[in-house]
Structures are given as structure tokens and as C-alpha cells.
Amino acid sequence: SLRDHQRAVIVGERSFGKGSAQSFMELHGGVAGIKLTTAHYQLPSGRIVHRTPENADTGDWGIIPDIHVPVTEREREEIRRWLQQASTSTRGDEAVIDRQLQAAVEALRAKL
């Protein structure tokens, strides 16, 4: 929404394409249930974020960044490990390089 209103630049990788809201209805006193998709997220431009069979081949799903910065699985694991250590207060002084964050900071600096 912020990008559609020229208020933000998106940095990173394309989002997963999960843009739906589901409701769960209990059946038979909790023995069974059914999950219903009841809504999809829609951007101000009218585009639906959710990846569907109708748009899967077009590539018109998810949030596509303005500045594409892919992250390797190794980098993802390093960031995950660092965040987990930070949440348990056992984080050391080792630095973790977050290239997406660096790209975002560079984009902000370029606008100043």
C-alpha cells in the first residue's frame, strides 16, 4: 500500500504470495472443522497479493521489491541463528551482515 501511494521503496525478495484471510469453523462439537478462505488482500492499485492458479503463471502475485536483494540460504541461517541468540540473551559480539538491510539503508541515504 505504501508503494502504491509513492510513500515507500520495497527492498528484498518477492514475498511468498500468501495474501488471504481464512476462517475456521468447528463442526460436530470440535471433532472436525473446516477452513474457509474468506478474503484476499488487495493493494490500492487493485492487484491481489495472493498467488492463485489464475495468476501463478503471470508472475503478478506477491510483493515484488523495487530493489531486489536475494539472500542465500546460508545468510538466512546466520541471521536466524543470530536472532535466536539475541532472544535468549546469549548473543556474542559477532556481527551478522544483512545485505537487505544494508541496501535499504543505502536507498534511504540516496534520498537524503
Side-chain angles (χ1 to χ4, degrees):
S1 292
L2 290 171
R3 179 176 42 194
D4 280 4
H5 292 290
Q6 290 82 45
R7 303 291 295 160
V9 173
I10 309 297
V11 178
E13 297 177 282
R14 178 197 297 240
S15 70
F16 183 71
K18 177 69 172 152
S20 64
Q22 295 181 325
S23 299
F24 182 77
M25 295 172 45
E26 238 180 52
L27 302 173
H28 300 292
V31 176
I34 187 168
K35 225 184 241 190
L36 299 171
T37 299
T38 54
H40 286 100
Y41 295 107
Q42 184 176 4
L43 299 174
S45 64
R47 193 168 71 80
I48 302 275
V49 174
H50 195 69
R51 185 176 182 176
T52 65
E54 292 79 28
N55 69 11
D57 293 335
T58 69
D60 194 23
W61 52 268
I63 303 298
I64 301 167
D66 300 301
I67 302 171
H68 183 246
V69 182
V71 175
T72 66
E73 191 53 43
R74 180 176 176 222
E75 289 171 317
R76 228 180 278 287
E77 184 55 39
E78 287 175 6
I79 292 168
R80 194 176 302 123
R81 191 177 315 111
W82 188 85
L83 288 170
Q84 183 179 26
Q85 290 172 348
S87 69
T88 60
S89 301
T90 60
R91 182 175 60 93
D93 291 333
E94 71 283 349
V96 173
I97 305 300
D98 184 335
R99 292 183 309 106
Q100 291 178 334
L101 177 59
Q102 287 179 331
V105 170
E106 288 171 20
L108 285 171
R109 284 187 177 141
K111 290 196 177 281
L112 293 177

